[in-house]
C-alpha cells in the first residue's frame, strides 16, 4: 500500500508541476475578459504481479464542465520485495512524459509519434467534451480507440486515460 501512495503522490506532483496554465485557473475571481476555469486532478494506480501503473490527469473545464485543456501522464515500474521483506523501488522513477526520447515509442509506432505526442492527441480529441462524453469514448476489447480520427494521432491504449480524465472532470466539478 505504501508503494501505491508514494507513486500516486509522485504522479500528482509531476502533473501539477508539468501542467503550467496561463491565465486564471480558479473557479472564481476571473478578471474582465478572462473566463474562469475549473481545475481537476485525478490519479489512479494499480499493481499486478509486481508491475505498477499510475495514471494521472489534470483538466481545465469551462463553467459548463467542458474540457478546455487536459494533460495525461503515466508511471510504469516493477516493484519487488526482497527476502528481508523490504521493497525494491525501480531505479527510474520518471513518468512516460518525463522520459521523452528515453521512451522511444515513436520508433516502433505505426504512426511514428512519441508517447507524449499520442497522449496529447488524445487530450486534444477530448477538448469540448464533458465527463460523460469522455466516458463514452469507445475502445475495443484491448483498450485502443475505435474512432478513426483519434486513431490517426493516437494508437496507444486509452481506456485507463479515459477513466482518469473523467475522474479529473468530476473532481473539477465537485
Amino acid at each position: 500500500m505504501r508503494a501505491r501512495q508514494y507513486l500516486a503522490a509522485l504522479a500528482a506532483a509531476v502533473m501539477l508541476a508539468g501542467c503550467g496554465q496561463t491565465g486564471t485557473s480558479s473557479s472564481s475571481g476571473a478578471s474582465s475578459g478572462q473566463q474562469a476555469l475549473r481545475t481537476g486532478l485525478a490519479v489512479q494506480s494499480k499493481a499486478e504481479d509486481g508491475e505498477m501503473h499510475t495514471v494521472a490527469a489534470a483538466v481545465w473545464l469551462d463553467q459548463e464542465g467542458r474540457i478546455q485543456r487536459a494533460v495525461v501522464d503515466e508511471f510504469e515500474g516493477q516493484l519487488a520485495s526482497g527476502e528481508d521483506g523490504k521493497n525494491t523501488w525501480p531505479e527510474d522513477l520518471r513518468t512516460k512524459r518525463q522520459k521523452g526520447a528515453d521512451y522511444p515509442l515513436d520508433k516502433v509506432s505505426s504512426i511514428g509519434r512519441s508517447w507524449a505526442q499520442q497522449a496529447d492527441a488524445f487530450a486534444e480529441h477530448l477538448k469540448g467534451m464533458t465527463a460523460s462524453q469522455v466516458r463514452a469514448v469507445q475502445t475495443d476489447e484491448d483498450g485502443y480507440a475505435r474512432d478513426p480520427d483519434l486513431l490517426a494521432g493516437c494508437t496507444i491504449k486509452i481506456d485507463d486515460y479515459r477513466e482518469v480524465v473523467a475522474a479529473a472532470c468530476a473532481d473539477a466539478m465537485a
Side-chain angles (χ1 to χ4, degrees):
M1 187 61 150
R2 184 174 158 252
R4 280 187 179 172
Q5 291 169 336
Y6 173 80
L7 294 173
L10 172 69
V14 167
M15 292 302 297
L16 290 172
C19 297
Q21 171 76 9
T22 59
T24 184
S25 62
S26 65
S27 59
S28 63
S31 62
S32 171
Q34 288 184 328
Q35 178 187 16
L37 299 177
R38 296 173 178 261
T39 58
L41 177 67
V43 180
Q44 297 177 350
S45 294
K46 61 183 172 182
E48 197 170 12
D49 298 325
E51 180 81 16
M52 298 286 304
H53 288 275
T54 298
V55 179
V59 296
W60 290 263
L61 308 180
D62 64 18
Q63 293 304 306
E64 288 77 42
R66 296 190 178 282
I67 295 173
Q68 300 303 299
R69 182 170 184 228
V71 178
V72 297
D73 205 350
E74 180 177 5
F75 170 81
E76 287 181 318
Q78 291 284 351
L79 184 63
S81 293
E83 290 180 21
D84 58 2
K86 292 184 180 179
N87 291 330
T88 303
W89 296 94
E91 287 185 28
D92 190 351
L93 293 175
R94 296 178 298 163
T95 66
K96 289 181 178 182
R97 191 172 289 281
Q98 289 174 316
K99 288 179 182 179
D102 291 340
Y103 193 84
L105 181 63
D106 54 330
K107 294 181 180 29
V108 296
S109 166
S110 62
I111 58 174
R113 298 182 89 190
S114 70
W115 182 91
Q117 289 171 320
Q118 293 191 45
D120 291 345
F122 172 66
E124 184 67 25
H125 181 78
L126 302 179
K127 272 189 176 177
M129 290 186 183
T130 63
S132 61
Q133 290 169 320
V134 170
R135 282 187 194 94
V137 171
Q138 294 188 0
T139 58
D140 65 17
E141 60 277 353
D142 295 320
Y144 297 99
R146 290 187 183 266
D147 183 311
D149 291 333
L150 178 52
L151 280 171
C154 177
T155 59
I156 58 178
K157 291 182 179 187
I158 62 163
D159 52 350
D160 288 341
Y161 307 138
R162 175 191 60 206
E163 299 309 314
V164 78
V165 167
C169 289
D171 177 60
M173 296 305 288

